[in-house]
Amino acid sequence: MTGAADRAQRLRLVPGRFAVEHLPAAVAPPNGWIAQVRAPEGLTVVREVVEHQSGDGAAGLWRALYGGDTAHGLDLPGMLAALLEPLAGAAVPVFVASTYHADLVLVPEADTERAVEALRAAGHTVD
């Protein structure tokens, strides 16, 4: 059994702002994507939002936290839960894309400061 200290992670706030989009008929993701998941109902894409793009309201923008610099094995239980539990406790919505090395946790841009505070209070380091 792993304790909370065993699940403490070093995260970094990824530069940029991101959109999470559902593309029902997409064959390929648009330029600038950092994560994609294909499901029967279509393609979900996380892409960086460039400042000059129009139609991206602040409510739809996300910031990304990633712990890839201190990767953990796939066989280590509770690593994602260790991030999501404090965020849920702080009422911060999330969208997650997992990689082989770590999890990319996106939070609404407006909730970034609250998310970072909740993660730090739970023992995580956020650069």
Side-chain angles (χ1 to χ4, degrees):
M1 179 96 178
T2 59
D6 297 333
R7 297 182 298 159
Q9 298 171 54
R10 181 178 195 92
L11 305 165
R12 63 184 162 88
L13 194 58
V14 178
R17 299 157 58 202
F18 301 90
V20 177
E21 301 171 323
H22 175 245
L23 308 173
V27 175
N31 291 335
W33 65 274
I34 63 165
Q36 64 174 322
V37 176
R38 181 168 305 283
E41 63 277 0
L43 185 66
T44 298
V45 175
V46 177
R47 67 169 177 84
E48 187 169 11
V49 174
V50 181
E51 290 296 326
H52 69 274
Q53 289 176 315
S54 61
D56 294 311
L61 296 177
W62 298 74
R63 295 297 311 271
L65 296 149
Y66 186 64
D69 295 337
T70 54
H72 57 78
L74 295 175
D75 60 345
L76 192 57
M79 297 303 285
L80 181 56
L83 301 176
L84 299 184
E85 288 168 0
L87 294 174
V92 175
V94 300
F95 183 87
V96 177
S98 294
T99 74
Y100 185 84
H101 297 287
D103 302 297
L104 181 70
V105 178
L106 292 105
V107 299
E109 185 175 45
D111 296 325
T112 304
E113 187 174 321
R114 191 161 39 108
V116 169
E117 288 173 6
L119 290 166
R120 287 180 175 154
H124 302 288
T125 303
V126 182
D127 296 331

